[in-house]
């Protein structure tokens, strides 16, 4: 499996064999985290990280991953880089990407929420960097996709529904299981990237998918068509429901997360406060113990940060079936594997 030099913008664009190569290596790296086998894979190499938006997990896990592979990750704030944007003059993406390719082994970019004027603009910018860069470009969350999160999610689900955390992964552990992705009311007006990535990768690994949200919170129709196609290819079911309870019936994995409505971007402006005010009208859309009792002893998953008291209660988020910290840890292992395979001396 030769992944050297390959961009990762959405998991849907990688084959199942390629995704499995990442997950299998990530599980080995997790089991034997500080082995000398991994220590020199990025020796002397630098991974550049552009963060247009804040981050806890992504920044720390990428920096830690680079360190543990013997390399270095450099944190960059685009506002300090004189880059051209839709609103300001500056260096073009072509020039920036070509120059960075002369210095670094890989480039990660995060851009979403209030840093874009319309849905799709963040993903377009990352693809523009990928077009010009000679080094792998890794999507660290844009407005459409979050591939590193999706890989960490399925890794955690395979662990919890399979042989256990830190044990070898078995994709059959999640095949045929019911994934519920449910909207949660919340005060963060979140982009669609994490839920869309989870829908795509969960359906590709053969899960039945139920998507639950109030009327008016549709996701990207092209992504939903792809999820349906993934389910059809696997002989699994896909359904959308608009009530906060029924989707829980028989679920094995419950993913409760807020996302913004399709009206969030209008006239080149992100209407954050309006989105928050609108979302708060739906307090019944919260994952709680009563709803979890309807499931098939489901695990609770979330990419974090959890908006506790809105997306999920403390009892669920910190409960015995919550896998959130294991999934967060898995970001480190999958990103080590991605860097090793796409830019490392493996
Ligand atoms: N899940 C995730 O990407 O977390 P951060 O926003 O903290 O990086």
């Amino acid at each position: 499996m030769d992944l050297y030099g390959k961009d990762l913008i959405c998991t849907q664009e990688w084959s199942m064999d390629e995704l499995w190569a990442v997950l299998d290596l990530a599980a080995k790296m997790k089991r034997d985290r500080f082995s000398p086998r991994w220590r020199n894979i990025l020796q002397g190499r630098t991974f550049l990280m552009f963060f247009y938006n804040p981050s806890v997990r992504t920044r720390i896990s990428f920096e830690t991953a680079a360190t543990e592979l013997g390399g270095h990750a450099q944190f960059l704030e685009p506002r300090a880089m004189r880059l051209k944007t839709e609103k300001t003059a500056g260096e073009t993406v072509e020039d920036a990407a070509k120059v960075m390719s002369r210095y670094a082994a890989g480039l990660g970019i995060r851009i979403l929420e209030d840093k874009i004027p319309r849905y799709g603009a963040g993903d377009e910018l990352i693809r523009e960097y990928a077009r010009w860069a000679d080094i792998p470009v890794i999507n660290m969350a844009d407005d459409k996709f979050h591939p590193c999160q999706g890989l960490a999610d399925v890794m955690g689900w395979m662990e919890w529904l399979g042989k256990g955390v830190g044990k070898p992964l078995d994709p059959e552990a999640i095949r045929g299981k019911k994934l519920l992705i449910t909207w949660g009311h919340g005060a963060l007006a979140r982009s669609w990237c994490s839920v869309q990535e989870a829908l795509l990768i969960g359906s590709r690994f053969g899960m039945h998918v139920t998507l639950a949200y109030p009327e008016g919170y549709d996701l990207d129709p092209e992504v939903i068509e792809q999820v349906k196609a993934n389910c059809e290819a696997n002989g699994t079911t896909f359904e959308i429901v608009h009530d906060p309870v029924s989707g829980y019936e028989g679920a094995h994995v419950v993913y409760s997360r807020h996302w913004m409505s399709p009206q969030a971007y209008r006239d080149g402006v992100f209407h954050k406060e309006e989105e928050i005010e609108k979302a708060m009208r739906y307090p019944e859309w919260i994952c709680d113990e009563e709803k979890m009792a309807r499931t098939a002893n489901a695990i609770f998953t979330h990419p974090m940060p959890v908006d506790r008291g809105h997306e999920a209660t403390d009892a669920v988020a910190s409960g015995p079936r919550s896998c959130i910290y294991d999934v967060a840890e898995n970001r480190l292992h999958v990103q080590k594997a991605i860097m090793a395979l796409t830019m490392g001396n493996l």
Side-chain angles (χ1 to χ4, degrees):
M1 179 67 54
D2 185 8
L3 290 168
Y4 193 79
K6 194 172 172 77
D7 302 319
L8 178 57
I9 298 176
C10 175
T11 56
Q12 189 71 36
E13 292 156 13
W14 282 29
S15 71
M16 288 300 285
D17 284 347
E18 289 169 337
L19 297 179
W20 183 249
V22 171
L23 291 168
D24 189 48
L25 180 58
K28 289 187 177 105
M29 288 175 154
K30 183 171 184 172
R31 281 203 300 286
D32 201 4
R33 180 164 167 186
F34 298 107
S35 163
R37 280 190 291 168
W38 327 123
R39 208 174 285 156
N40 296 319
I41 288 176
L42 281 190
Q43 190 177 34
R45 299 181 197 201
T46 297
F47 180 64
L48 300 178
M49 306 184 299
F50 292 7
F51 279 99
Y52 287 81
N53 301 78
S55 162
V56 171
R57 278 144 292 276
T58 304
R59 177 179 178 179
I60 297 170
S61 57
F62 264 110
E63 289 190 0
T64 306
T67 301
E68 292 185 8
L69 295 175
H72 171 67
Q74 190 172 339
F75 176 80
L76 297 159
E77 281 190 280
R79 67 188 167 135
M81 290 162 53
R82 289 180 308 205
L83 295 172
K84 184 172 166 29
T85 70
E86 290 187 15
K87 291 180 185 158
T88 59
E91 187 163 26
T92 64
V93 170
E94 178 181 354
D95 285 344
K98 285 182 174 172
V99 170
M100 286 162 195
S101 301
R102 303 291 177 99
Y103 301 142
L107 169 60
I109 305 174
R110 161 168 292 199
I111 181 163
L112 66 166
E113 293 170 355
D114 59 330
K115 296 299 185 286
I116 53 170
R118 61 185 163 77
Y119 175 71
D123 191 68
E124 284 167 21
L125 182 82
I126 293 182
R127 289 180 194 278
E128 183 71 359
Y129 270 96
R131 177 179 169 209
W132 297 112
D134 298 323
I135 52 177
V137 171
I138 309 297
N139 180 357
M140 301 195 303
D142 66 25
D143 48 342
K144 294 177 93 169
F145 306 118
H146 197 351
C148 302
Q149 186 63 55
L151 283 157
D153 291 338
V154 290
M155 182 174 174
W157 307 344
M158 285 177 200
E159 290 178 319
W160 272 72
L161 300 181
K163 297 180 179 125
V165 174
K167 299 285 191 299
L169 297 180
D170 179 3
E172 295 306 311
I174 61 172
R175 186 175 304 283
K177 297 292 195 303
K178 177 177 172 179
L179 168 64
L180 167 66
I181 297 195
T182 177
W183 187 88
H185 76 299
L188 292 174
R190 299 186 197 263
S191 282
W192 297 351
C193 54
S194 297
V195 289
Q196 293 192 156
E197 195 73 55
L199 286 164
L200 289 167
I201 197 166
S203 59
R204 276 187 95 201
F205 275 93
M207 301 183 82
H208 298 283
V209 177
T210 297
L211 182 59
Y213 56 88
E215 301 275 4
Y217 281 90
D218 290 347
L219 294 168
D220 184 332
E222 283 183 19
V223 173
I224 297 303
E225 284 309 306
Q226 185 61 65
V227 175
K228 284 183 191 167
N230 291 345
C231 288
E232 272 171 34
N234 279 313
T236 53
T237 57
F238 174 80
E239 63 170 350
I240 295 177
V241 298
H242 293 301
D243 74 273
V245 177
S246 66
Y248 284 80
E249 299 292 344
H252 300 95
V253 177
V254 171
Y255 186 130
S256 175
R257 168 90 163 176
H258 173 68
W259 63 83
M260 64 179 71
S261 79
Q263 286 76 46
Y265 297 102
R266 296 195 309 279
D267 307 320
V269 177
F270 176 44
H271 296 269
K272 182 172 182 176
E273 295 311 316
E274 189 182 307
E275 281 296 308
I276 293 169
E277 186 275 321
K278 190 165 62 176
M280 288 307 190
R281 295 180 206 154
Y282 299 94
E284 68 279 18
W285 286 82
I286 184 169
C287 179
D288 57 23
E289 286 176 300
E290 199 178 327
K291 295 190 187 85
M292 288 297 280
R294 294 172 172 266
T295 69
N297 194 27
I299 56 172
F300 172 75
T301 190
H302 193 288
M304 305 186 81
V306 184
D307 189 358
R308 288 169 179 258
H310 293 131
E311 294 172 321
T313 60
D314 283 333
V316 171
S318 298
R321 297 293 286 165
S322 172
C323 68
I324 60 174
Y325 303 123
D326 294 313
V327 166
E329 180 189 329
N330 289 343
R331 290 290 304 276
L332 168 68
H333 307 300
V334 299
Q335 289 159 200
K336 279 172 77 175
I338 291 164
M339 286 200 283
L341 291 163
T342 63
M343 58 193 88
N345 173 28
L346 195 62

